């Protein structure tokens, strides 16, 4: 309080030196920098205490962890051990992996598994969360109550118990493989060995077709943009979606035929003596064998007779070549039986010992295998017409299930539990998003005479999505992180694989750094996505 | 109503602003504002929205930081010196457009919190003074209510009592009636009028023409970050010097 | 399909009944609707047929009731005399064709699910605790006896029975405290019992210590004089700091209190320790629900202050270090970094190592971050980095880190019990999320509150203490309760790192020959306990929200 009379504008120069210095110290800017320096010193001291402890212990406990191949100690050799043989098998792999592969490869398998669960999880969670969020608002009392209890049940129990419950209580109490459940007659089977689902199998020509698909997508975009420009220029309305889709499917269809006509990688190994020169011949031979006039007549013949006459075909397990061939044989109505072998040489042995008449595989494999036969010249490799993508359905064969792809029980349980849990989180977000749209918006839309569909598409969805997507991305990130819970039921995700590696090699620190880096990359990807989205809607607001 | 005056100031010019400049990023909000105010003077600042009038009075208690020029309040220069800032803020009271009462405290707590913790008065003394001011703004019976339970006009009067209990020498009003319903404006203006008559130095940004004409010693018209015209109320309304002022007055007085 | 249903416009209720309008509303409105209804009809039909073969009587009853409901609606519509039941049915279950079909389908699914659960959990179940061995179990029924048989393990794990009374005492203590708090916070008594409430709050502050003594115990030992003096010094320093920031007033009473408090408490502590009444319990013996609750409460109690510090750091508005100061320091540090490892590039073996040998560039990157992203505010930079790092990794990584990395950070020969280690890991995790919750609360405070406090002359600490934090914390109470529920649920993750908490203890139970493989019963029981706990807490939080909401209005 300046109770003493002072000059209207006190000149700083008039002040004594010590007051001026004091003034400098009390300057907010100086105080800020000083405060932060104290803060840095405190942080550095804290980190140093932990760090020196750590360095001591690393010397004591971890010297062996930084050993180079030449026996020297160096921190740069921290990750050298990752190149040595892992020595453990991984049950669920997307790429080939054996226990002789290095740790790096095992880690890679783990990362891919983590990504697999995360990606499938996010897709399915989106579906379930949306359906359940809308169901919460359903005017059907029963449905909304069920959705409410679903959400409450999921949110109020630990995710880990849900995982255990689904794994031990649902998947592992399902029937054995030989009497797997087939819900509603759909081409899918549930057993305690996992879930068998239809799958797409790609032959080697798929790459050509995919190139065409990319082209088609570009064409679609070009058509879209060009029609849009024309609309702007001439004001002539056009159905951009329809025209674009026609262009897309034209090119995609063309690509399908081109890729199947151009490529010639699929082969069928037969003996010259069999008189088979092309697939069509099989029909004639079958008619001769059974004495039927027409292949349709086979249906009326005794089953055993047909089975005896059926062509015996060797194939390699889980190969697209088999599906590609059997699809065509089924079209021809020719009866056949497949014998599957793990490796090409086993199939060749079987073929050589005449357990089967033909051997289906890609031409390169067949050529290699033919040269191992006694008289290569007495065998022919026929070309089999190939389609780029084959739809493979699981079906029962004896006690086993063949075709399609099988999701292992651990994967199924983890995926299911994550989807159910995060589906409930997303359901609440979706519900809140829809409720956030004011009544006025709906009334305005109706007043403008929009149809119900238009109202949903043009008014409700775009606004609700703005509210839903940012927290939705958060849910996706949490889901991706919680794939690490797979370790509880033995799903070999990145975390579980690293844990095994840690136990085997004792390199705790290195692996923690690695794990953290991968998770941080995943988080970073999500936050980039979120920022991008937030920027985008901000722009739209202006 | 008779108001107790402010504690006396011993400087000739209680507010001195010289060539004040202020940028928000690229945008220059104040482009060299000069103003000198004598103790007890009442100044009303007028101007279109975005003219920098709010920014200017917020610079006077350093809610905004000016980047060029100097501001001396009651003999203390506003610089980066943290002691000066605290000292000036003790002597300068401000009333906001949105009242900014603390919703988690009762009216009485709202008023006494700063006197107790900043002025270091005892609770009893602070409460006594608070009740005196509440009585003077006419709502002593609301002392134990929460701000959310009061009307807008009552809230603004509480905000004034809160400011006045700190016994400031200078009062800054930042559009205190703009957020009020028309029937409540009068009760707030009455208080302001009486404050102006009891010797406070006041700088008010307001759109209340009647108030400006009645109590202002000087009217300042700002546009685009500059003072365009400075005049007595009489001359300002009847005989403005500048073309820009005439335009502004036409627009306002037409409707 | 529900989208269509739920968003259809309310039907116009005319005088007469119009068949065409009715069909258009329900079936032929759009081709999508037609397809949906037909598809639903087919699915429901086939499902009803399948169920009829399985459970003929129940299915018949359900279908009969359904038809009865529809008939009642038709009749009431024809005679324009809706009863309460038919109106409710029409509005809630049988709104349209599609909805009616859906209702039938869902009811049947529910009925068969409830039937299955009923059969398993009651009809075929065995409740006798003595009969849990495999030979007593029925194929399709629960063996509930395990819950009673394993009750000790489930509740307290491996804790010796002679210590059980301490757990009961702790439970009693908390219950009594809670009861008193409930009574004294009744609106009628709130003002009268002001002193009692302050005493109670003091007890709440002391409750962690009380619970520690009960559950962990104190070992005997000599009176630690230096420790006492240090304690007084630390408390005094905190007092002085708060006083210099003008957050607490100067008064002789509080100064004497500060000086006396620590020696007094320590002496009591020391006496209890040397009385031998509460000998130490090995924390590794804790288990079951006890361990779960210990972890969850410790985490919240520790994470809250840490989270608040982090949130304040992240939002701190100190004047940033100017660029002209950052860059020279950063460049100098970078150059210094290069001189410490001069041979790194020359001796690198591959591309990765070549890149790594330029590590001092990271200092420049950090400087860039401080300068551009945080405007020179290092406090905010450190806070933000910590929060974001923690939030980007899964909880289980931090728990493992607590356990596996502890030997790297602790002194030689020190072995810390596992529960403390997971509490540390979990607290780090939780504090980052807590910080974000509190930051949300801080951001929700209008700018005007800050300005008004500034204009009244409060300094930074006073502004936070008196104006901002009280409001922000009130806003984040639901989020904090949510965090507590999260900690309660997610503490089950410690079972993965080898602790025997409520979930983890089932590993030991199901490996006992008498209870071999009785997982499902345990999981169901645990799910019920977790559900009840979480549900009660979230309802309480909702109630609290309403109460607090009334306070400021």
């Amino acid at each position: 309080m300046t109770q003493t009379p002072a000059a209207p504008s006190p000149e700083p120069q008039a002040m004594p030196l010590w007051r001026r210095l004091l003034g400098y110290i009390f300057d907010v800017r100086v105080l800020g920098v000083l405060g932060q320096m104290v803060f840095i010193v405190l942080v550095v001291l804290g980190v140093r205490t932990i760090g020196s402890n750590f360095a001591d212990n690393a010397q004591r406990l971890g010297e062996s962890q930084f050993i180079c191949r030449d026996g020297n100690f160096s921190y740069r050799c921290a990750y050298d051990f990752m190149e040595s043989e892992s020595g453990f098998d991984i049950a669920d792999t997307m790429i080939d992996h054996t226990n002789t592969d290095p740790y790096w490869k095992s880690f890679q398998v783990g990362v891919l598994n983590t990504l697999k669960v995360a990606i499938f999880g996010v897709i399915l969670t989106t579906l379930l969360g949306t359906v359940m969020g809308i169901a919460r608002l359903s005017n059907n009392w029963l449905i909304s109550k069920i959705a409410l209890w679903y959400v409450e049940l999921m949110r109020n129990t630990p995710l880990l118990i849900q995982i255990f419950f689904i794994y031990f209580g649902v998947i592992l109490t399902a029937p054995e493989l030989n009497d797997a459940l087939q819900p509603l007659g759909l081409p899918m089977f549930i057993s305690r060995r996992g879930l068998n689902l239809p799958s797409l199998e790609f032959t080697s020509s798929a790459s050509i077709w995919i190139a065409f698909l990319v082209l088609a997508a570009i064409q679609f975009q070009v058509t879209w943009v060009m029609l849009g420009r024309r609309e702007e220029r001439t004001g002539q309305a056009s159905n951009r979606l329809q025209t674009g889709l026609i262009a897309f499917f034209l090119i995609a269809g063309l690509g399908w035929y081109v890729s199947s006509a151009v490529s010639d990688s699929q082969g069928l190994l037969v003996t010259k003596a069999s008189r088979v020169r092309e697939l069509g011949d099989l029909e004639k031979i079958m008619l001769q064998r059974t004495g039927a006039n027409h292949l349709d007549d086979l249906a009326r013949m005794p089953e055993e007779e047909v089975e005896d006459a059926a062509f015996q075909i060797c194939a390699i397990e889980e190969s697209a070549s088999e599906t590609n061939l059997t699809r065509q044989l089924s079209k021809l109505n020719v009866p056949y039986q497949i014998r599957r072998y793990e490796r090409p040489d086993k199939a060749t042995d079987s073929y050589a010992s005449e357990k089967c008449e033909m051997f289906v595989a890609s031409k390169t494999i067949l050529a290699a295998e033919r040269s191992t036969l006694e008289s290569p010249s007495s065998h022919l490799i026929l070309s089999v017409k190939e389609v780029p993508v084959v739809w493979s359905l699981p079906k029962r064969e004896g006690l086993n299930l063949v075709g399609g792809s099988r999701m292992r029980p651990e994967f199924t349980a983890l995926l299911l539990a994550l989807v159910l849990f995060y589906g409930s989180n997303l359901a609440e977000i979706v519900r809140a998003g829809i409720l956030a749209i004011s009544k006025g918006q709906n009334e305005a839309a109706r007043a403008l005479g929009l149809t119900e569909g238009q109202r949903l598409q043009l008014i409700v969805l775009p606004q609700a999505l703005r509210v839903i997507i940012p927290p939705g991305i958060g849910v996706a990130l949490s889901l991706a992180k919680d794939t690490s819970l797979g370790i509880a039921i033995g799903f070999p995700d990145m975390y579980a694989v690293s844990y095994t590696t840690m136990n085997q090699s004792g390199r705790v620190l290195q692996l923690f750094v690695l794990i953290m880096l991968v998770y941080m990359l995943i988080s970073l990807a999500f936050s980039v996505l979120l920022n991008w989205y937030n920027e985008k809607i901000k722009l739209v607001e202006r | 109503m008779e108001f107790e005056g402010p504690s006396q100031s011993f400087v000739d010019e209680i507010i001195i602003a010289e060539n004040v400049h202020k940028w928000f990023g690229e945008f220059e909000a104040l482009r060299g504002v000069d103003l000198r105010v004598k103790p007890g003077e009442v100044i009303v600042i007028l101007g279109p929205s975005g003219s920098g009038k709010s920014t200017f009075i917020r610079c006077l208690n350093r809610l905004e930081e000016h980047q060029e020029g100097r501001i001396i309040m009651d003999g203390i220069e506003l610089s980066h010196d943290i002691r000066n800032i605290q000292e000036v803020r003790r002597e300068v009271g401000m009333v906001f457009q949105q009242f900014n009462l603390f919703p988690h405290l009762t009216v009485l707590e709202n008023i006494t919190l700063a006197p107790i913790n900043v002025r270091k008065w005892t609770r009893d003394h602070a409460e006594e003074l608070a009740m005196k001011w509440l009585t003077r703004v006419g709502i002593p019976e609301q002392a134990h209510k929460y701000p959310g339970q009061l009307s807008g006009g009552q809230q603004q009067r509480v905000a004034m009592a809160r400011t006045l209990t700190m016994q400031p020498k200078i009062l800054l009003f930042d559009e205190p009636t703009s957020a009020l319903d028309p029937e409540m404006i009068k009760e707030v203006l009455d208080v302001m009028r009486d404050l102006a008559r009891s010797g406070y130095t006041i700088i008010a940004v307001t759109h209340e023409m009647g108030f400006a004409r009645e109590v202002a010693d000087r009217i300042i018209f700002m546009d685009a970050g500059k003072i365009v015209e400075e005049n007595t109320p009489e001359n300002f309304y009847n005989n403005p010097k500048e073309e820009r002022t005439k335009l502004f007055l036409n627009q306002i007085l037409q409707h | 399909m529900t989208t269509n249903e739920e968003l259809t416009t309310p039907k116009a209720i005319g005088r007469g009944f119009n068949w065409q309008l009715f069909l258009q509303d329900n079936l032929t409105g759009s081709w999508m609707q037609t397809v949906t209804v037909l598809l639903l009809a087919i699915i429901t039909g086939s499902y009803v047929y399948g169920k009829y073969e399985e459970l003929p009587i129940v299915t018949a009853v359900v279908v009969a009731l359904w038809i009865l409901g529809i008939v009642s609606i038709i009749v009431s519509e024809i005679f324009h005399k809706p009863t309460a039941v038919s109106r409710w049915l029409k509005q809630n279950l049988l709104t349209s064709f599609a909805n009616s079909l859906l209702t039938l389908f869902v009811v049947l699914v529910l009925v068969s699910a409830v039937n299955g659960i009923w059969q398993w959990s009651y009809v075929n179940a065995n409740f006798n605790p003595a009969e849990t061995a495999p030979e007593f179990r029925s194929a399709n029924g629960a063996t509930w006896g395990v819950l009673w048989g394993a009750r000790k393990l489930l509740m307290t794990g491996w804790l010796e029975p002679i210590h059980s009374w301490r757990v009961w005492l702790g439970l009693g203590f908390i219950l009594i405290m809670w009861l008193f708090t409930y009574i004294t916070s009744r609106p009628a008594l709130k003002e009268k019992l002001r002193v009692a409430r302050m005493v109670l709050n003091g007890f709440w502050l002391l409750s962690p210590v009380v619970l520690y003594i009960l559950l962990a115990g104190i070992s005997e030992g000599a009176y630690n004089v230096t420790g006492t003096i240090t304690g007084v010094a630390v408390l005094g320093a905190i007092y002085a700091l708060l006083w210099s920031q003008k957050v607490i007033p100067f008064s002789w009473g509080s100064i004497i209190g500060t000086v006396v408090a620590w020696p007094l408490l320590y002496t009591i502590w020391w006496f209890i320790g040397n009385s031998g009444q509460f000998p130490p319990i090995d924390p590794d013996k804790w288990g079951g629900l006890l361990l779960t609750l210990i972890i969850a409460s410790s985490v919240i109690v520790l994470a809250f202050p840490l989270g608040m510090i982090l949130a304040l750091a992240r939002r701190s508005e100190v004047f940033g270090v100017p660029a002209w100061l950052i860059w020279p320091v950063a460049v100098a540090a970078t150059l210094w970094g290069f001189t410490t490892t001069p041979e790194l590039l020359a001796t690198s073996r591959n591309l990765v190592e070549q890149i790594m040998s330029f590590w001092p560039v990271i200092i420049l990157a950090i400087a860039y971050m401080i300068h551009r992203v945080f405007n020179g505010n290092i406090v905010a930079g450190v806070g933000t980095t910590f929060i974001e790092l923690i939030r980007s990794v899964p909880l289980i990584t931090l728990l493992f880190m607590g356990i596996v990395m502890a030997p790297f950070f602790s002194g030689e020969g020190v072995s810390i019990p596992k529960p403390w280690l997971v509490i540390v890991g979990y607290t780090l995790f939780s504090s980052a999320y807590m910080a974000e919750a509190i930051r949300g609360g801080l951001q929700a405070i209008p700018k005007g509150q800050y300005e008004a406090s500034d204009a009244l002359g409060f300094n930074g600490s006073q502004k936070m203490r008196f104006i901002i934090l009280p409001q922000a914390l009130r806003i984040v109470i639901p989020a904090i309760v949510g965090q507590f529920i999260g900690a309660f649920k997610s503490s089950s993750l410690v079972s993965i790192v080898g602790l025997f908490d409520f979930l983890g203890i089932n590993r030991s139970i199901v490996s006992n020959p008498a209870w071999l493989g009785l997982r499902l019963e345990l999981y169901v029981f645990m799910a019920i306990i977790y559900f009840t706990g979480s549900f009660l807490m979230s309802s309480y939080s909702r109630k609290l929200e309403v109460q607090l909401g009334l306070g400021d209005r």
Side-chain angles (χ1 to χ4, degrees), chain A residues 188-431:
Chain A
M188 56 187 286
F189 295 89
I190 303 165
S191 70
R192 100 183 29 181
R193 301 277 295 282
L195 194 61
N196 290 58
L197 292 174
S199 68
L200 294 175
E201 284 180 4
F202 297 89
T203 61
S204 57
S205 56
S207 50
I208 304 175
W209 189 54
I210 287 168
F212 268 95
L213 280 188
V214 172
L215 212 66
I218 295 170
Q219 177 62 40
F220 176 84
Q221 189 63 29
V222 167
T223 315
W224 183 273
V225 171
M226 274 175 57
L227 285 181
R229 289 216 183 122
R230 200 186 69 178
E231 256 175 50
E232 269 174 26
R233 209 175 49 239
T234 62
Q236 191 180 353
S238 56
N239 195 337
R240 291 157 89 184
L241 183 70
Q242 196 176 326
T243 322
L245 282 180
I246 288 173
F248 179 87
F249 283 117
L250 268 179
I251 294 183
L254 183 71
W256 181 272
Y257 281 103
V258 168
S259 54
S260 79
V262 164
S263 58
D264 181 26
S265 70
Q266 298 299 310
L268 185 65
L269 186 68
V270 292
T271 54
K272 271 192 182 153
S274 68
R275 289 179 293 116
V276 183
R277 297 294 174 268
E278 55 170 339
L279 275 193
D281 294 341
L282 292 177
E283 188 179 349
K284 270 184 279 168
I285 294 168
M286 182 52 59
L287 289 179
Q288 279 172 11
R289 275 194 196 173
T290 53
N293 287 326
H294 199 269
L295 282 179
D296 293 343
D297 298 343
L298 293 182
R300 265 165 268 138
M301 288 176 65
E303 246 177 62
E304 294 131 46
E305 231 173 274
V306 178
E307 256 175 46
D308 286 342
F311 292 108
Q312 302 290 320
I313 302 169
C314 283
I316 304 166
E317 262 180 13
E318 291 177 3
S319 69
S321 309
E322 177 202 327
T323 329
N324 184 41
L325 178 72
T326 53
R327 205 181 130 272
Q328 296 179 40
L329 291 183
S330 311
K331 245 188 215 163
L332 287 173
N333 241 342
V334 176
Y336 61 87
Q337 265 187 331
I338 306 281
R339 290 162 179 274
R340 298 181 186 81
Y341 298 92
E342 267 178 40
R343 297 206 306 271
D345 54 326
K346 292 235 175 99
T348 318
D349 291 345
S350 177
Y351 172 78
S353 59
E354 295 190 353
K355 274 193 194 142
C356 46
E357 305 156 68
M358 306 164 199
F359 178 12
V360 62
S362 74
K363 277 191 169 172
T364 39
I365 295 179
L366 290 181
E369 292 298 323
R370 184 170 70 166
S371 59
T372 65
L373 290 172
E374 262 174 46
S375 54
S377 55
S378 64
H379 300 272
L380 288 177
I381 298 177
L382 303 182
S383 289
V384 180
K385 190 181 152 229
E386 74 177 279
V387 283
V389 178
V390 206
W391 184 241
S392 165
L393 301 176
K395 49 185 176 289
R396 286 178 213 273
E397 249 185 47
L399 294 179
N400 215 339
L401 292 172
V402 297
S405 68
R406 185 158 69 92
M407 288 154 62
R408 298 183 60 85
E410 293 79 29
F411 174 78
T412 316
L414 181 63
L415 184 65
L416 210 59
L418 286 175
V419 167
L420 282 173
F421 183 76
Y422 283 107
S424 73
N425 287 5
L426 191 64
E428 285 302 276
I429 294 171
V430 169
R431 172 172 166 267

Side-chain angles (χ1 to χ4, degrees), chain A residues 459-487:
Chain A
I459 311 295
V460 176
L461 269 183
Q463 294 188 54
L465 280 182
R466 262 185 205 200
V467 187
I468 291 169
I469 283 183
I473 292 176
V475 166
L477 174 60
S478 301
L479 189 149
K481 285 195 292 175
D482 271 347
T483 55
S484 56
L485 293 188
I487 193 175

